[in-house]
Amino acid sequence: MIVCPGEDLAPWIRSLKGLDPALAIRVWPDVADVTEIEFALVWNHPPGELRRYPNLKCIASLGAGVDRILGDSELPRGVPVTKVVDAALMRAMTEYVALAVLNHYRDMDRYRRDQERQQWAPRFPRPREAMAIGIMGLGQLGADSAAKLRDMGFAVGGWSRTPKQIDGVESFHGSEQLTRFLSRTDVLICLLPLTPQTRGILNRGTFQGLRRGSYVINVARGGHLVEEDLVEALDTGQLSGACLDVFREEPLPARHPFWVHPRILVTPHVSSLTDPDAVAPQILENYRRVMAGDPPLYQVDVERGY
Amino acid sequence: MIVCPGEDLAPWIRSLKGLDPALAIRVWPDVADVTEIEFALVWNHPPGELRRYPNLKCIASLGAGVDRILGDSELPRGVPVTKVVDAALMRAMTEYVALAVLNHYRDMDRYRRDQERQQWAPRFPRPREAMAIGIMGLGQLGADSAAKLRDMGFAVGGWSRTPKQIDGVESFHGSEQLTRFLSRTDVLICLLPLTPQTRGILNRGTFQGLRRGSYVINVARGGHLVEEDLVEALDTGQLSGACLDVFREEPLPARHPFWVHPRILVTPHVSSLTDPDAVAPQILENYRRVMAGDPPLYQVDVERGY
C-alpha cells in the first residue's frame, strides 16, 4: 500500500513495477481489504490510519525523514519503521548546502541587491578559514556536508546528541557543549532529525549564542525553527540572513512574512528530492525481507526518533 | 614603479615592504627620474606611458590578465611581460564558476523569482550528467574549473586554440571544432585570454550554435562578449540566462541594460580578486630575477597574447 496523499505516485508505481511487474500495489485510500496490506510506503499519512491494517509488517518512509510517521501517537507498536538511505539524496543535500554556503561566502545576495540599485561595489571576501561553519546533526547527511565544507577550506564544527568524530571537524555534543559550539559559529546549518528534543531548537537563545551577523541555513524540518525568533534576530542584526528550504507549514502559506523578507531566501523543499528510480530498489528489497521474515534495512529507532 | 591608476595601493605597498623593507617603490605618476625605474607593476596603465622608462627590465601585470598591457600599441619592445599565477586566485575563480553553475543547475534564480511572486513550485532537477558544461579556454584557470565540474558529476567539454588533454573532459580545439563543441553544450563558460582572435567570440553565431535554452557564464574579459548579441539571444529564448562578472566598460555604466535585465546576474568583477599578500612574493621574486639578469617567472608570449 502506498499512503502519500497529494503526491504524484505515477513515477513510484512505474519504478516499483519496473523492478517487479508482479508486485501487487494498492494506493490509499483505495484499499478494499485492510487484511491484505503487509507493507506500507508512507509520506504525510493521516495520523491513526496505519493501525487499521492488522497484518502490517513494515512502515517504510518515502524519504530520509520519519518525523511525520513517528509523530503519529496511534502508530501500531512493534511494526518496524524504515527510512530511505540514498547516495543520490545525500549528494543532492550536500550540494544544496555547499551552494547556500558559497552564496553567502561570496556575497551573492549582496551583489544581487547592489544590482537592483545599479551599484558597482566589489568587496574582498574574508579569508575562507575565518568563516566558521557549524553543523547541527552529524548523521549521514550532516557528516557528508561537514566533510565537503572542510574540503572546501572552511573551518567546520559539528554538534550532535552523542559524540562523533570526523577528521578535521571540531566536534561538540550534548546540551552542555551547545553554547561553546554556537559561540564559534558564523554559519549555522541545521541537519538534525526532528524529534521532541530538537523541535524548536533554532530559537532566540540559539541565535543569540552565535557570533553577531551569523547566517542560518535550515534544510532539516520546519519544526526545528521558531519562525518568529528568526525574524526578530534578523531585524536586530544578530543574524545577517537565512536560507530556508523547509517550513512549519508547507507549501509556505500566502502572506507568510518569509516570502517578502529581504534577508530570507525561500526555496520550496528542494534541497534533496527523493528520486523514485534511485530509491525503488531499496523499498523492494525491504518488502522482500519482511515478507521472508527478515529484519528490514535502514530501520529507525522509534524511541530515539531517528 | 607601481602604475595602477584608481587602485588602492596601500595593501600592495604594505605587502611588498613587509617582505623587503629596503625596496625602493615609486607610485606613478609621482616619478621624478624616469631612468631610475627598472621594474613596473602594472594595472590599467595609460597606453604609451611605459615607453618613457629607458631602463625598464620587466612589466609585471598585477593580475592574471595581460590584455590591457599587450593592447598598448606603444609597449616597449623586448621588455618581458609577466602575469600572476596564484593558487588562491585559481581557487577563487573555480569556486565562483562552481557557484554560478550550481546556482543555475539547482534553479536558484527561478526560485528567487518564485519567491517574489510568492509561488511554491518545486521542480526535480534534471540528471546532473544531462547538463553539459562547455569551457572555452583550457589554460590553468579553465583546466582547474573543468576538473572541478567533472568531479561534481557534470559532463564537461573544453575548447581551446591548441589541443589539450584533461582526464574525463571531452576536448575540442581550433575554429574547425568550435561548432561541434557548442552543439553539445548547455552551459557555456568563458575563461579565454583576451586576444585579437578571441575578442567578441561570445557573439550571435556562438549563441546560436549552443543548445536552445543554454546558460552563459563570462568570467574572462568584457571584450569577449558582444553585449547586444547576448541581450538578443536572451530575448529570443535561445539563451535562458547569463552570469556576468566582467564588462566592456567597468564599472558597468549607469543605465546599462544589463543592470535591469531579469535574466542577467551582474557581479562587479569579483570572481577572483588578487590578494596582495598572496601575490607579493612572486612579484618580488621576479624583481630579484630581472635585477640579477635572469628571466622572470610567468612570462607571457607577447605574440600569442597570453
Side-chain angles (χ1 to χ4, degrees):
Chain A
M1 172 175 67
I2 308 182
V3 191
C4 307
E7 296 282 322
D8 173 18
L9 295 176
W12 285 96
I13 293 168
R14 202 161 47 230
S15 294
L16 290 164
K17 289 275 199 186
L19 293 168
D20 182 355
L23 198 65
I25 299 179
R26 304 281 175 271
V27 175
W28 182 88
D30 209 6
V31 178
D33 178 4
V34 294
T35 65
E36 197 182 44
I37 303 302
E38 296 173 286
F39 188 97
L41 189 55
V42 170
W43 196 251
N44 288 341
H45 73 286
E49 176 62 22
L50 295 172
R51 64 171 185 165
R52 293 184 52 233
Y53 305 87
N55 297 316
L56 197 57
K57 295 182 175 63
C58 182
I59 298 166
S61 171
L62 205 77
V66 292
D67 46 289
R68 290 291 291 260
I69 296 174
L70 301 188
D72 179 353
S73 60
E74 299 177 82
L75 199 70
R77 286 171 178 273
V79 179
V81 175
T82 65
K83 63 179 171 181
V84 161
V85 174
D86 176 44
L89 195 146
M90 186 168 78
R91 183 184 199 176
M93 176 62 90
T94 298
E95 186 177 84
Y96 182 100
V97 166
L99 172 54
V101 167
L102 282 182
N103 186 68
H104 174 63
Y105 175 61
R106 298 296 296 255
D107 266 332
M108 295 303 275
D109 286 332
R110 199 138 67 150
Y111 292 133
R112 284 186 168 88
R113 287 194 293 271
D114 285 352
Q115 181 173 355
E116 281 170 22
R117 294 178 300 160
Q118 307 203 12
Q119 187 167 327
W120 179 276
R123 296 167 196 89
F124 208 82
R126 64 187 132 174
R128 209 172 308 254
E129 57 279 10
M131 192 177 85
I133 312 274
I135 299 182
M136 302 181 98
L138 294 174
Q140 286 209 311
L141 297 177
D144 194 60
S145 280
K148 172 78 173 188
L149 292 165
R150 171 202 67 200
D151 291 347
M152 286 162 62
F154 295 107
V156 180
W159 179 83
S160 50
R161 195 174 62 89
T162 55
K164 297 273 167 70
Q165 279 231 335
I166 303 170
D167 271 356
V169 173
E170 196 185 356
S171 292
F172 301 85
H173 70 276
S175 51
E176 66 284 2
Q177 294 187 0
L178 182 58
T179 305
R180 270 180 53 218
F181 164 75
L182 294 172
S183 69
R184 46 78 61 207
T185 294
D186 297 297
V187 176
L188 185 68
I189 302 169
C190 182
L191 276 163
L192 287 163
L194 184 61
T195 68
Q197 289 73 42
T198 66
R199 183 173 291 277
I201 197 169
L202 299 177
N203 57 37
R204 177 192 288 190
T206 297
F207 300 145
Q208 282 177 342
L210 294 167
R211 292 196 192 152
R212 188 159 176 87
S214 283
Y215 191 81
V216 169
I217 298 169
N218 190 18
V219 280
R221 283 289 178 266
H224 287 119
L225 177 66
V226 180
E227 298 189 339
E228 301 71 20
D229 291 2
L230 177 73
V231 171
E232 184 199 82
L234 288 167
D235 291 348
T236 64
Q238 173 60 16
L239 296 180
S240 63
C243 171
L244 305 177
D245 188 50
V246 290
F247 304 90
R248 210 154 52 189
E249 188 182 343
E250 294 180 9
L252 189 64
R255 285 184 296 280
H256 191 287
F258 287 177
W259 282 121
V260 295
H261 198 290
R263 303 279 165 172
I264 297 177
L265 176 59
V266 168
T267 59
H269 206 146
V270 292
S271 55
S272 76
L273 298 168
T274 311
D275 176 359
D277 279 343
V279 167
Q282 66 184 260
I283 300 290
L284 208 62
E285 168 71 12
N286 271 348
Y287 171 73
R288 286 173 182 151
R289 281 173 171 255
V290 299
M291 297 308 279
D294 295 327
L297 302 172
Y298 314 130
Q299 197 173 335
V300 302
D301 180 334
V302 173
E303 290 311 310
R304 200 179 55 171
Y306 59 96
Chain B
M1 172 175 67
I2 308 182
V3 191
C4 306
E7 296 282 321
D8 173 17
L9 295 177
W12 285 96
I13 293 169
R14 201 162 47 230
S15 295
L16 290 165
K17 289 276 198 184
L19 293 168
D20 182 354
L23 199 66
I25 300 179
R26 303 281 175 271
V27 175
W28 183 88
D30 209 6
V31 178
D33 177 3
V34 294
T35 66
E36 200 182 41
I37 303 302
E38 296 173 286
F39 189 96
L41 189 55
V42 170
W43 196 251
N44 288 342
H45 74 286
E49 176 62 22
L50 294 172
R51 63 169 185 167
R52 294 184 52 234
Y53 305 87
N55 297 316
L56 197 57
K57 296 183 175 63
C58 183
I59 297 166
S61 172
L62 205 75
V66 291
D67 46 289
R68 289 292 290 260
I69 295 174
L70 301 187
D72 179 352
S73 60
E74 298 177 83
L75 199 70
R77 286 172 177 274
V79 178
V81 175
T82 65
K83 63 180 172 181
V84 161
V85 174
D86 176 44
L89 194 147
M90 185 166 80
R91 183 184 200 178
M93 177 61 90
T94 299
E95 186 177 85
Y96 182 100
V97 166
L99 173 54
V101 167
L102 283 182
N103 186 69
H104 174 62
Y105 175 60
R106 297 297 295 255
D107 267 332
M108 295 304 275
D109 285 332
R110 200 139 66 149
Y111 291 134
R112 283 186 168 88
R113 288 194 293 271
D114 285 352
Q115 181 172 356
E116 282 170 21
R117 294 177 301 160
Q118 306 202 15
Q119 187 167 327
W120 178 278
R123 296 167 196 90
F124 208 82
R126 63 187 132 174
R128 209 172 308 253
E129 56 280 10
M131 191 178 85
I133 313 275
I135 300 183
M136 302 181 98
L138 294 173
Q140 286 209 312
L141 297 177
D144 194 60
S145 280
K148 172 77 174 190
L149 292 165
R150 172 202 66 199
D151 292 347
M152 286 162 61
F154 295 107
V156 181
W159 178 82
S160 49
R161 194 174 62 88
T162 56
K164 298 272 168 71
Q165 280 232 333
I166 303 170
D167 271 356
V169 173
E170 196 185 356
S171 291
F172 302 84
H173 70 276
S175 51
E176 65 283 1
Q177 294 188 0
L178 182 58
T179 304
R180 271 180 53 218
F181 164 75
L182 295 173
S183 69
R184 45 81 57 210
T185 294
D186 297 297
V187 176
L188 185 68
I189 302 169
C190 181
L191 275 163
L192 287 163
L194 183 63
T195 69
Q197 289 73 43
T198 66
R199 184 173 290 278
I201 197 169
L202 299 177
N203 57 37
R204 176 192 289 191
T206 297
F207 299 144
Q208 283 177 343
L210 294 167
R211 293 197 192 150
R212 188 159 176 86
S214 283
Y215 190 81
V216 169
I217 299 169
N218 190 18
V219 281
R221 283 290 177 265
H224 287 118
L225 177 66
V226 180
E227 298 188 339
E228 301 71 19
D229 291 2
L230 177 74
V231 171
E232 185 199 81
L234 288 167
D235 291 348
T236 64
Q238 173 59 15
L239 296 181
S240 63
C243 171
L244 306 176
D245 189 50
V246 290
F247 305 91
R248 210 153 51 189
E249 187 183 343
E250 294 180 8
L252 189 64
R255 285 183 296 279
H256 191 288
F258 287 177
W259 281 122
V260 295
H261 199 291
R263 302 278 166 174
I264 296 177
L265 176 59
V266 168
T267 58
H269 206 146
V270 292
S271 55
S272 76
L273 297 168
T274 311
D275 176 358
D277 280 342
V279 168
Q282 67 183 261
I283 300 291
L284 208 62
E285 167 71 13
N286 271 348
Y287 171 73
R288 286 174 182 150
R289 281 172 171 255
V290 299
M291 298 307 281
D294 294 328
L297 302 172
Y298 313 130
Q299 197 173 335
V300 303
D301 180 333
V302 173
E303 290 312 309
R304 200 179 57 170
Y306 60 95

